[in-house]
Amino acid sequence: QSALTQPRSVSGSPGQSVTISCTGTSSDVGGYNYVSWYQQHPGKAPKFMIYDVSKRPSGVPDRFSGSKSGNTASLTISGLQAEDEADYYCTSYAGSNTWVFGGGTKLTVL
Amino acid sequence: EVQLVESGGGWVQPGGSLRLSCAASGFTFSSYALHWVRQAPGKGLESVSAISSNGGSTYYANSVKDRFIISRDNSKNTLYLQMGSLRTEDMAVYYCAKVGESFYFDYWGQGTLVTVSS
């Protein structure tokens, strides 16, 4: 399985919005509505932020939203806050009990 | 409160073996699939291996197939990863993760570091 493609880095100022893309194929992102997103601060375990493309688990602020079009999923963070600075990873189910991760995106809050 | 606590990491020489464990609590262990995900130093996350709720179905990344064995003991609420023929490229923090109601990882352990070097 090839990794999903994410931008290496994105940045934004406090209060602004940023979008992180996650591009796969029709065998993973495009074939299933099972894209999820994880936030990881340095030295910490990943934290579950979005599942099934656009659903938010309880406790995740509604500033975080997910979407998908074709083979590309996106995570949008609105009203950026300093604590949002972290690495973000997408993953997609790819059938037959397999998952594929994106390479990760470093979000910098300027 | 769901908790996943990994152990068993450490230093091993290339070609060596190591067994990781993940002790779970706070949920009905036998009802959920589990996953091992690793992260090499400064790199991204990589799916390593998965196991169904009853242990009857397993998955391995091509990079670890025939070298790693995933298992679980539902009576002990513990997940295992037996790693053999270790290579320097296996050096990483290994996380266990609980699979949620569909295809996502809703809880993660704190990770255990595996160092492979001579």
Side-chain angles (χ1 to χ4, degrees):
Chain A
Q1 289 288 345
S2 299
L4 305 176
T5 300
Q6 296 181 233
R8 293 287 297 270
S9 64
V10 297
S11 62
S13 299
Q16 288 187 331
S17 294
V18 295
T19 296
I20 300 170
S21 61
C22 170
T23 301
T25 69
S26 58
S27 297
D28 37 64
V29 174
Y32 302 91
N33 287 322
Y34 295 132
V35 175
S36 51
W37 290 89
Y38 304 86
Q39 176 192 66
Q40 187 180 36
H41 287 107
K44 301 293 187 182
K47 177 186 174 184
F48 170 49
M49 302 299 285
I50 295 285
Y51 68 104
D52 295 354
V53 175
S54 60
K55 297 176 182 176
R56 258 187 327 273
S58 61
V60 173
D62 59 7
R63 303 186 294 104
F64 292 83
S65 61
S67 62
K68 189 185 86 167
S69 177
N71 295 336
T72 298
S74 298
L75 173 71
T76 298
I77 308 169
S78 57
L80 268 179
Q81 298 181 5
E83 59 262 35
D84 298 334
E85 185 163 295
D87 294 326
Y88 290 84
Y89 294 90
C90 62
T91 188
S92 175
Y93 184 66
S96 301
N97 219 14
T98 65
W99 279 260
V100 60
F101 280 90
T105 298
K106 181 176 179 60
L107 168 62
T108 301
V109 180
L110 302 170
Chain B
E1 179 194 6
V2 172
Q3 284 198 319
L4 299 168
V5 180
E6 301 95 337
S7 60
W11 173 82
V12 62
Q13 290 186 325
S17 298
L18 213 53
R19 188 175 86 154
L20 305 183
S21 299
C22 173
S25 61
F27 64 100
T28 305
F29 185 80
S30 58
S31 295
Y32 292 92
L34 296 164
H35 214 100
W36 286 101
V37 177
R38 69 184 179 186
Q39 186 169 36
K43 302 296 185 183
L45 301 171
E46 179 190 11
S47 171
V48 173
S49 184
I51 189 167
S52 61
S53 57
N54 65 4
S57 177
T58 57
Y59 152 81
Y60 298 95
N62 287 336
S63 56
V64 306
K65 204 169 288 184
D66 300 326
R67 298 189 298 120
F68 290 11
I69 299 173
I70 191 172
S71 62
R72 63 191 294 163
D73 186 336
N74 285 350
S75 69
K76 295 182 178 179
N77 288 2
T78 303
L79 171 71
Y80 302 101
L81 186 67
Q82 179 68 48
M83 304 187 295
S85 301
L86 282 162
R87 306 167 180 167
T88 54
E89 54 264 36
D90 295 319
M91 186 160 63
V93 174
Y94 284 73
Y95 295 101
C96 67
K98 172 183 168 291
V99 179
E101 297 297 336
S102 74
F103 299 96
Y104 54 85
F105 309 114
D106 54 357
Y107 292 95
W108 298 65
Q110 85 289 351
T112 187
L113 177 63
V114 172
T115 302
V116 184
S117 124
S118 53

